[in-house]
Amino acid sequence: MKRLQITSFFLLSFIFSQAQLLWKVSGNGLKETSYIFGTHHLIPLSFLDSIPGLYKSFNTCNAVVGEVVINSIDATSKIKQASMMPDHKTIKDFLDSTKYQIVDNELKTTLKIGLNEFSRLHPSLILSLYEIELFRRVTKVYDDAQSDSYFQIAANEKGKKVFGLETIDKQIELLFDTKDLQSQADLLYETIQNKDSVSNEMITLNTLYKKGNLDKLYLFSKNTDNKTGISDEKMVELLDKRNEAWITQLPDLMGKNSCFIAVGALHLPGKTGIIEKLRALGYKVKAAY
């Protein structure tokens, strides 16, 4: 099964043996140090307290760089519009009566809301809401604040500059693909049918991230035998191509600002990852603490 929330990377285990989520970027003419932090959108804020030097690194930077600028009226409006099914379609158009009943019953049990209320929502959004609640239940963490959005919110409060590496339109294209709504509805059904396996894999992914074991996280994420596995084709789309686009922007941003770069953890490693791409450009990238 494919997961937009999980991206993959090519393993370079000798680089990541330190189990590191926070990296320091210097050299190549930079006047000030920048930092890269690998985020996880479901990890609670309390976990950030356990990362040595994280807040210190954030406080020394005058700009925050994220995948997209999330706290804007334009972004909120576009996401709301994209989250609805096109052409007056509903989820009933993509699930037969048996599958509809199975999904409806599980959503009522887990979210206390059924498909009747969700009928016009994009299947990917329904799946996301379900997975978030499932994650909360299996990890027993109910913190609504998400660590990947925290840094932009804190930056705004402290008067720091905030930059996005891609537009909200690009994120919407990735999250709410309208070309194959049937596949998205099928994925929702399959996830619910394999709830126990998905729950166990969520626990494993959560543990690996908290330990900073990006190499093992990669192997687990890329294993298509897992219910949360991802195909090589999707890996290129979600990770490699985006990293390629981001690396053209980062030198200019770091040259003009001391940047705290907070992006999904699996964008960091591998030959096509941000860390190796920055090293190839002449920067020194090493564990921050």
Side-chain angles (χ1 to χ4, degrees):
M1 268 197 284
K2 298 177 181 178
R3 273 299 172 285
L4 288 183
Q5 290 92 342
I6 303 173
T7 50
S8 305
F9 58 91
F10 185 82
L11 176 62
L12 286 179
S13 59
F14 71 94
I15 293 176
F16 298 100
S17 59
Q18 300 177 74
Q20 187 71 24
L21 293 173
L22 181 63
W23 298 81
K24 178 180 179 180
V25 185
S26 61
N28 199 26
L30 289 183
K31 295 179 180 179
E32 297 178 280
T33 298
S34 287
Y35 295 88
I36 305 175
F37 175 62
T39 67
H40 181 323
H41 73 287
L42 292 179
I43 292 295
L45 285 180
S46 56
F47 173 69
L48 300 182
D49 297 336
S50 68
I51 302 175
L54 181 66
Y55 294 121
K56 179 181 178 181
S57 301
F58 171 77
N59 288 330
T60 62
C61 296
N62 62 28
V64 167
V65 179
E67 296 181 18
V68 66
V69 177
I70 58 173
N71 198 19
S72 72
I73 296 175
D74 182 54
T76 302
S77 175
K78 286 186 175 182
I79 290 173
K80 184 177 180 180
Q81 183 178 358
S83 69
M84 304 301 291
M85 290 260 217
D87 304 323
H88 304 289
K89 293 186 180 299
T90 72
I91 193 68
K92 279 188 174 181
D93 295 316
F94 304 98
L95 295 174
D96 63 33
S97 58
T98 301
K99 291 181 178 180
Y100 183 96
Q101 195 60 53
I102 290 171
V103 173
D104 185 53
N105 289 341
E106 177 60 21
L107 292 181
K108 285 177 178 176
T109 299
T110 305
L111 294 173
K112 312 304 179 187
I113 300 175
L115 283 178
N116 186 51
E117 291 83 356
F118 285 153
S119 63
R120 288 293 321 284
L121 288 186
H122 193 290
S124 293
L125 180 56
I126 301 175
L127 175 59
S128 180
L129 294 171
Y130 176 71
E131 288 185 323
I132 288 170
E133 183 58 28
L134 195 60
F135 181 87
R136 287 172 172 169
R137 292 185 177 210
V138 300
T139 61
K140 309 210 181 304
V141 172
Y142 296 91
D143 189 346
D144 284 330
Q146 296 180 351
S147 59
D148 58 350
S149 58
Y150 165 78
F151 296 105
Q152 288 193 32
I153 295 171
N156 287 324
E157 291 176 350
K158 293 175 179 291
K160 298 177 185 284
K161 292 174 276 190
V162 176
F163 301 99
L165 293 169
E166 61 192 16
T167 66
I168 190 61
D169 296 302
K170 178 62 178 177
Q171 290 253 315
I172 287 172
E173 179 187 333
L174 292 166
L175 292 171
F176 301 113
D177 182 6
T178 58
K179 295 190 290 293
D180 195 353
L181 291 169
Q182 185 61 61
S183 291
Q184 301 303 315
D186 290 342
L187 179 57
L188 171 63
Y189 170 73
E190 290 168 13
T191 300
I192 285 172
Q193 280 291 85
N194 295 282
K195 173 183 175 180
D196 291 342
S197 295
V198 171
S199 297
N200 289 333
E201 288 172 18
M202 282 181 169
I203 293 171
T204 299
L205 290 167
N206 182 54
T207 300
L208 291 175
Y209 173 80
K210 284 187 171 182
K211 289 182 177 179
N213 288 335
L214 297 184
D215 50 352
K216 292 182 180 179
L217 193 62
Y218 158 72
L219 291 175
F220 194 83
S221 300
K222 194 173 183 294
N223 186 353
T224 53
D225 289 336
N226 294 330
K227 302 304 179 185
T228 51
I230 187 171
S231 67
D232 290 340
E233 179 183 0
K234 207 66 178 180
M235 178 181 76
V236 171
E237 178 185 344
L238 294 176
L239 182 69
D240 297 352
K241 289 182 178 179
R242 295 168 76 197
N243 288 349
E244 219 167 288
W246 296 354
I247 204 66
T248 64
Q249 304 171 59
L250 288 175
D252 183 59
L253 288 169
M254 294 188 299
K256 295 176 180 177
N257 309 274
S258 55
C259 294
F260 186 89
I261 303 159
V263 295
L266 295 180
H267 285 282
L268 273 58
K271 289 182 178 179
T272 59
I274 290 174
I275 290 176
E276 277 304 292
K277 284 183 176 293
L278 286 173
R279 285 174 172 159
L281 292 175
Y283 295 97
K284 295 179 182 178
V285 187
K286 61 181 183 179
Y289 290 91

